[in-house]
Amino acid sequence: MTRRAVLAGSGALAIGGGLAAVLGAGGKTPVGASTTAGRRVLKAGTTSAPLIDEAFQIPVWGYNGSVPGPALRVGQGEAFEVLLENALDEETTIHWHGVRVPNAMDGVPHLTQPPVEPGERFRYAFTPEDAGTFWYHPHQRSFEQVGRGLYGPLIIEEADPPQVDRDLVWMLDDWRLDDQGQISGGFGSRHDAMMAGRIGNTITINGKPSAPLIARPNERIRLRLVNAANARIFGLDFGDLDPMVVALDGQPVKPHRLSAPLLLGPAMRADLIVDFDYPAGTRHSLRDVFYDGLEYELTTFECQGKEVRERRLPDPAPLPPNPLAEPELATAERHRIIFGGGMMGMMGRTASGSDARNEQRTGSGMMMERMGGSGMMSGGMMGWTVNGVSASGHVHDPIISAARGTTLLLDMTNETAWWHPIHLHGHSFRVLSRNGQPTRYQEWQDTVLMAPEERVEIAFVADNPGDWMFHCHILEHQAAGMMATIRVN
């Protein structure tokens, strides 16, 4: 398999429409135990999906027999309850990514709950405070469980949503398939762990083969994008379609048009308002342009049929803000965080920033060529680190311990040669600056994408008590040490 095939997504390019909607403390029960009538169940197990062609089913793992799992929808401030049933042959959990849940509901094995054994169940129950686009996935051996298809969207709906004609969820993913069209093994390999992560060769949206999105003239669509890939970064170029960004990582942001491709690192989300103010017969291309020289058409948008209305709707108003405590920067407790290690770990100090980015964008296939295709590390290589420590497992001594209500300002530097989407559990944070320059929108996020050699400042009020994971969401990087714990007392 060539480097170009690995990175370009040259296999199936897939698209799907809206996902089926189901609604949706902790404790384990045997699978045979009775459950309360009406309780929502997510059953993790083996299934199959048409990743390449509708007629060709590929063995995968999924929830309730599908990839992605069912779209869980619940109103903001409404009680939410799901029973996880483990039909796998190994332990699992569910992490509710980006949701400010009580610590016992966060789904991190051994840190916040015991892992759910094969044949057991675990009850998750919480009341979501924030409306927005979130998702769920395991935190147990996530580099393989997520990589085989265990994930789904969680949509927490506003009491007063924006006016749209359709509300669609697209879960972007890539899969590494072999020449027989089956999921390739080698999950958690040292080669993937020390470089760009497990980047696949087959792109899907909602686990389905490519198909255009058909819209009517002057139709307005809310498009919720979720990057569920282990490691692939998407750089989405909408051409002249001109969508407006209204939320990032589930949190409202000042509505704005894109001035560059939309970057979505693993685990990141974006809510777009897309107006199709074009005549019938118009076709627009959505391209992924992140990897230099490996750009491709992800899918197309096509206007067909009779117009929905005579003219385009006015630009959308800002979404209602979520109840997030504003950081008090004047009294913030400041902490320096250094991300290090990995293949070519010292490169960031000897090469230009653009050279370092090109190494990431050309990817692990190029690195394999330089290593003679062996995939084995030579002397001087190391695991990923946070402040010099390469962590293992999920339970660590905290790198920060803060009293509840403290504003924390994290001054973070990526000293590696690779990109890292850094995720904090249990909280959302404001992205204050990049390389010393204030961010334009001071956006709230739970996962921030850091380029090689980049310095990023984030701030948040540590108001959710417990021990919280803080890690790179390239899942192979997390497993290879780029993770830590922040404690809120």
Side-chain angles (χ1 to χ4, degrees), residues 55-357:
F56 184 59
Q57 295 288 322
I58 297 174
V60 296
W61 297 359
Y63 293 106
N64 295 5
S66 69
V67 175
L72 306 179
R73 288 184 178 264
V74 64
Q76 183 178 13
E78 295 180 3
F80 176 86
E81 181 177 336
V82 164
L83 194 68
L84 167 62
E85 179 178 312
N86 185 8
L88 299 170
D89 292 331
E90 61 182 68
E91 300 170 331
T92 193
T93 66
I94 293 180
H95 168 58
W96 309 96
H97 186 105
V99 185
R100 297 187 293 143
V101 296
N103 190 253
M105 297 289 101
D106 197 44
V108 180
H110 305 293
L111 183 68
T112 69
Q113 69 167 89
V116 183
E117 301 284 347
E120 289 189 337
R121 289 171 168 162
F122 189 92
R123 173 179 171 267
Y124 294 94
F126 53 89
T127 300
E129 298 178 81
D130 301 336
T133 302
F134 304 95
W135 66 301
Y136 59 90
H137 64 79
H139 228 289
Q140 171 72 17
R141 296 187 67 251
S142 54
F143 59 87
E144 180 167 4
Q145 293 193 8
V146 175
R148 289 190 181 273
L150 281 170
Y151 55 79
L154 171 60
I155 307 303
I156 302 173
E157 298 178 321
E158 303 97 346
D160 186 20
Q163 179 187 357
V164 297
D165 300 301
R166 279 190 286 170
D167 185 328
L168 302 182
V169 180
W170 281 5
M171 298 203 79
L172 310 179
D173 197 5
D174 72 347
W175 309 76
R176 186 179 293 179
L177 303 184
D178 61 23
D179 56 6
Q180 302 300 312
Q182 304 300 306
I183 293 178
S184 176
F187 286 95
S189 73
R190 181 175 293 185
H191 163 256
D192 288 337
M194 290 300 102
M195 291 184 281
R198 184 182 170 96
I199 295 179
N201 57 6
T202 300
I203 312 298
T204 61
I205 302 178
N206 294 346
K208 291 185 172 70
S210 179
L213 172 61
I214 307 300
R216 294 168 60 189
N218 287 328
E219 184 176 9
R220 170 169 285 185
I221 293 177
R222 181 176 187 169
L223 185 58
R224 302 175 186 259
L225 300 171
V226 182
N227 184 354
N230 276 31
R232 178 179 288 268
I233 300 168
F234 290 89
L236 301 179
D237 182 354
F238 288 82
D240 59 359
L241 199 59
D242 202 26
M244 294 199 74
V245 181
V246 295
L248 294 170
D249 286 357
Q251 300 297 339
V253 66
K254 180 181 179 180
H256 61 276
R257 290 182 168 83
L258 293 169
S259 58
L262 175 65
L263 291 188
L264 286 182
M268 296 171 65
R269 291 92 63 210
D271 285 36
L272 308 179
I273 299 294
V274 188
D275 285 298
F276 292 88
D277 55 338
Y278 303 94
T282 306
R283 179 185 182 276
H284 303 270
S285 176
L286 174 60
R287 302 174 68 241
D288 179 9
V289 299
F290 181 77
Y291 298 98
D292 292 339
L294 299 173
E295 299 85 354
Y296 64 96
E297 185 177 85
L298 178 61
T299 190
T300 60
F301 301 95
E302 299 180 10
C303 283
Q304 296 183 14
K306 185 179 179 180
E307 62 186 18
V308 174
R309 53 185 59 85
E310 290 185 359
R311 60 183 60 86
R312 174 178 174 153
L313 291 170
D315 285 348
L319 296 175
N322 285 317
L324 292 161
E326 191 65 43
E328 294 288 344
L329 299 182
T331 59
E333 189 177 294
R334 190 181 187 94
H335 295 269
R336 192 89 168 88
I337 307 292
I338 306 294
F339 300 105
M343 180 69 73
M344 301 172 68
M346 298 299 291
M347 180 185 153
R349 300 175 186 175
T350 59
S352 70
S354 60
D355 288 342
R357 287 191 292 274

Side-chain angles (χ1 to χ4, degrees), residues 458-470:
I458 65 173
F460 63 97
V461 177
D463 55 3
N464 197 353
D467 283 3
W468 300 102
M469 287 291 294
F470 177 60

